[in-house]
Amino acid sequence: MSATPGRIRVIGGQWRNSRLEVPDLPGLRPTPERVRETLFNWLMPVISGARCLDLCAGTGALGIEALSRGAASVRFVERDARVAQALRGNLLRLKMPGGEVSTLDAAIYLQGAVQAFDLVFLDPPFALDLWGGLAERLEQGGWLAPRAWVYVESPRDGAPALPAGWALHREGAAGEVRYALYRRVES
């Protein structure tokens, strides 16, 4: 089942098949259902009780999917006020506990008070090429738990430069998108 314009659905967990309202804005690129299904199959053993960060959240589909599947909490960071408001609206309408939305640029958020996360979704707008800088801030700034998982979505034609301590666990491709799950390796 594919998303209709302006709507996507939660594909698993407690809120399975719930619809999410999505603003029709240029550059907003929800993670496809097939990719989310694969990712959360990979994460099934670790998602329950996880503290998550959905950095560059956009629609929030990844973080909402995590909450639906048992994550303890998700901090959504989205710089566009309209998109952040739609995300807040979806969380309220579905009565999803554990989700908090920050309307900030991801780099500015990572300059704030540090909290270590078990799982980070890193899916910035492709045109801005933010992977390396944000990944380095996550790694160096204390934002990752010692054995954290980091999901990275990027253009299919190449993997972004990421910290040396991030070991590739699994990866795949769908259309023009490369998706990969990394495990932070303690030094």
Side-chain angles (χ1 to χ4, degrees), residues 4 7 13 18-19 31 34-35 46 50 52 61-62 69 71 94 100 128 131 140 146-147 152-153 155 161 168-170:
T4 57
R7 297 185 86 156
S18 297
R19 298 287 177 183
T31 300
R34 183 177 70 166
V35 172
V46 299
C52 306
L62 293 170
R69 293 168 184 254
L94 295 174
E100 292 185 44
L128 299 181
W131 296 274
Q140 299 301 323
R147 301 269 300 147
V152 178
E153 199 167 302
L168 180 63
H169 178 69
R170 290 195 172 167

Side-chain angles (χ1 to χ4, degrees), residues 39-40 43-57 60-78 87 91 96-102 109-110 113-122 138 142-145 147-151 181:
L39 171 62
F40 283 95
L43 291 172
M44 193 179 322
V46 299
I47 196 68
S48 183
R51 294 162 300 148
C52 306
L53 174 62
D54 193 346
L55 200 57
C56 307
L62 293 170
I64 287 174
E65 199 74 52
L67 286 171
S68 183
R69 293 168 184 254
S73 63
V74 177
R75 168 66 68 166
F76 298 89
V77 179
E78 173 51 48
L87 179 49
L91 291 169
M96 290 186 116
E100 292 185 44
V101 180
S102 294
Y109 176 80
L110 293 176
V114 175
Q115 175 187 353
F117 291 96
D118 304 309
L119 171 61
V120 175
F121 302 106
L122 182 57
L138 286 166
W143 293 95
L144 301 173
R147 301 269 300 147
W149 295 91
V150 183
Y151 169 76
L181 183 61

Side-chain angles (χ1 to χ4, degrees), residues 1-4 6-22 30-34 36-37 40 59-70 76 87 90-91 93-96:
M1 178 176 196
S2 64
T4 57
R7 297 185 86 156
I8 57 176
R9 72 179 178 111
V10 179
I11 54 172
Q14 182 177 350
W15 286 276
R16 182 181 180 159
N17 290 325
S18 297
R19 298 287 177 183
L20 305 176
E21 299 296 326
V22 178
T31 300
E33 286 185 13
R34 183 177 70 166
R36 282 186 279 135
E37 182 69 35
F40 283 95
T59 65
L62 293 170
I64 287 174
E65 199 74 52
L67 286 171
S68 183
R69 293 168 184 254
F76 298 89
L87 179 49
N90 284 323
L91 291 169
R93 184 175 48 79
L94 295 174
K95 298 179 177 73
M96 290 186 116

Side-chain angles (χ1 to χ4, degrees), residues 122 131-132 135-136 152 160-166 178 182:
L122 182 57
W131 296 274
E136 204 54 48
V152 178
L162 299 172
W166 293 12
R178 174 187 179 270
Y182 294 85

